[in-house]
Amino acid sequence: VTVIADGDGWDAKEVLEHFDLIIKPDYRAFIDIGAYLRSDTNKNTAIKIANYFKTKGSLAIKGVLYFNDEKNLLAWTKVSDPAFHEIINSADSKTVELVTGLKENELFTFYDQRHCTGTDIQQIPKAKALVWISASTVLRDLLQGVFRMRKFLISQVVHVVLPTKLEALMREKLGVAAGTVLDARHIIKFLELNTEASFKVEDKQVILQKIVNEVRNFGIEQILAGSVFRQYAPVFVRYLQELIVDSFLEPEVKKDMGPILRTYCAELLE
């Protein structure tokens, strides 16, 4: 786990410069689970990564893999010519090598948040990856992201990056003193807390949606049956689903849900 200073707007090149990847040649991937680079296109991020290796005079990395923004297909750019871009179509290792003319050990992969799940790009057996998480990342997202490294439990390694604000939040939530070095156990515990909180929000949403459905059906039957207002039923349904649910769903506030649900039902039936 490495803690780095918060930036005004994170940039792939900035992140890579926090690690001297030239003297750590096994780094082969950047996994953005926390979506820190969502404000930029994948293409621009790939260009910045390629320029980083080009500026550093890297002899090991010759190409950068990423997912094309428009077609959502695997693409690549050259470290020697970051203005060059080509669609690969398939993540199959043989196809990647055929199109790029490069071996696995000559490629660096950028996984944007969308492709932290379900993407299968083969990496060298001892590859290392930089992994970014956010304050809202849940354990499932972390596991999905790190297992882009298919040999993670065998020979591959992930290096988690924490901005200073996230480090402070993590220490506060877990009660970890400033002098204690954060490690994988702290990361997992923090994400477990996030997961538990997300389940509570989902439970409330399910309950409220059931109430909306019942009241909606009752209301439409009683109020709109045989009425000229029947034609406005879609508007009525949308009002209940979007306006009322938003008003009553307060996931950050710990409350006894009983009184809230009774009030909710009463107001829907008024």
Side-chain angles (χ1 to χ4, degrees), residues 136-265:
S136 60
T137 299
V138 296
L139 186 57
R140 175 192 175 279
D141 294 340
L142 176 69
L143 296 177
Q144 286 287 346
V146 299
F147 276 102
R148 294 316 94 213
M149 310 301 284
R150 294 304 193 185
K151 296 182 180 178
F152 173 60
L153 295 178
I154 303 172
S155 58
Q156 295 173 338
V157 175
V158 297
H159 195 141
V160 179
V161 183
L162 299 178
T164 50
K165 289 181 181 177
L166 179 53
E167 180 209 16
L169 176 63
M170 191 173 294
R171 290 184 183 280
E172 178 185 348
K173 292 273 188 179
L174 300 179
V176 179
T180 303
V181 177
L182 295 177
D183 59 24
R185 292 170 299 175
H186 298 112
I187 299 293
I188 291 173
K189 181 60 179 176
F190 178 74
L191 300 188
E192 284 178 341
L193 293 177
N194 284 349
T195 301
E196 183 180 347
S198 72
F199 284 158
K200 290 179 179 178
V201 172
E202 290 174 4
D203 287 344
K204 290 181 182 179
Q205 290 173 329
V206 169
I207 293 171
L208 292 176
Q209 188 58 55
K210 286 182 178 179
I211 293 175
V212 165
N213 291 340
E214 290 300 320
V215 174
R216 178 189 62 198
N217 293 336
F218 175 80
I220 291 176
E221 289 175 4
Q222 298 299 314
I223 301 173
L224 303 180
S227 168
V228 293
F229 293 106
R230 180 186 294 277
Q231 61 186 307
Y232 299 112
V235 177
F236 180 68
V237 171
R238 203 157 49 241
Y239 172 80
L240 286 175
Q241 289 180 325
E242 297 175 4
L243 183 60
I244 301 297
V245 172
D246 289 344
S247 298
F248 278 85
L249 189 60
E250 301 178 55
E252 298 302 322
V253 181
K254 294 183 179 179
K255 293 183 178 180
D256 179 0
M257 288 298 291
I260 292 178
L261 295 177
R262 285 192 289 274
T263 302
Y264 184 31
C265 288

Side-chain angles (χ1 to χ4, degrees), residues 17 104 180 228 270:
E17 285 175 345
E104 290 171 8
T180 303
V228 293
E270 282 184 355

Side-chain angles (χ1 to χ4, degrees), residues 20-37:
D20 195 345
L21 301 186
I22 304 308
I23 63 171
K24 296 179 180 178
D26 290 338
Y27 277 87
R28 286 295 183 278
F30 184 174
I31 306 174
D32 188 19
I33 298 172
Y36 285 89
L37 304 181

Side-chain angles (χ1 to χ4, degrees), residues 34-99:
Y36 285 89
L37 304 181
R38 63 184 177 276
S39 62
D40 206 348
T41 65
N42 291 346
K43 180 178 179 179
N44 284 342
T45 297
I47 290 173
K48 290 169 183 175
I49 294 173
N51 275 324
Y52 168 81
F53 286 116
K54 183 178 181 180
T55 301
K56 293 290 185 179
S58 173
L59 299 177
I61 305 298
K62 298 180 180 179
V64 178
L65 299 175
Y66 67 98
F67 281 87
N68 173 274
D69 300 277
E70 291 78 24
K71 298 183 178 181
N72 193 33
L73 296 172
L74 188 65
W76 79 293
T77 184
K78 298 177 180 178
V79 168
S80 61
D81 181 16
F84 170 87
H85 294 269
E86 184 179 17
I87 298 293
I88 299 176
N89 283 321
S90 172
D92 173 72
S93 59
K94 291 182 179 179
T95 303
V96 172
E97 183 176 347
L98 180 64
V99 174

